[in-house]
Amino acid sequence: MESTWNVVHDCDSEDGSPTCWAKRIDHPTYGKFVWISQYDDRQYAVEVIPVTDVKVLAVCKSLSGAKRWVTTNIG
């Protein structure tokens, strides 16, 4: 499994700040990728697309907290 988070630049804010990160997971339940999307300054959603719809697995207070959630709960 890839341990590197990549910025998804297609989702950058108007000022060029990153708002979305992706990591390849190849998980049997959650699919090939997990994303972290920044909703605002205090909310980062951990998201997967297991089949066709986006599923939010957790909402965290920081990017580092969201990354830690993925490491702890998905791998």
Side-chain angles (χ1 to χ4, degrees), residues 10-75:
D10 290 346
C11 300
D12 287 356
S13 66
E14 290 182 15
D15 70 359
S17 299
T19 63
C20 185
W21 298 262
K23 177 179 173 178
R24 186 176 188 101
I25 57 171
D26 290 320
H27 193 277
T29 303
Y30 299 127
K32 289 188 178 201
F33 295 94
V34 62
W35 290 268
I36 297 174
S37 297
Q38 182 179 8
Y39 286 173
D40 59 33
D41 289 339
R42 296 187 206 191
Q43 290 189 322
Y44 293 80
V46 177
E47 303 170 331
V48 294
I49 304 176
V51 180
T52 57
D53 295 326
V54 173
K55 180 176 182 180
V56 176
L57 300 179
V59 176
C60 303
K61 294 180 181 179
S62 67
L63 176 59
S64 60
K67 288 179 178 180
R68 188 170 37 258
W69 190 96
V70 170
T71 300
T72 302
N73 294 284
I74 297 177

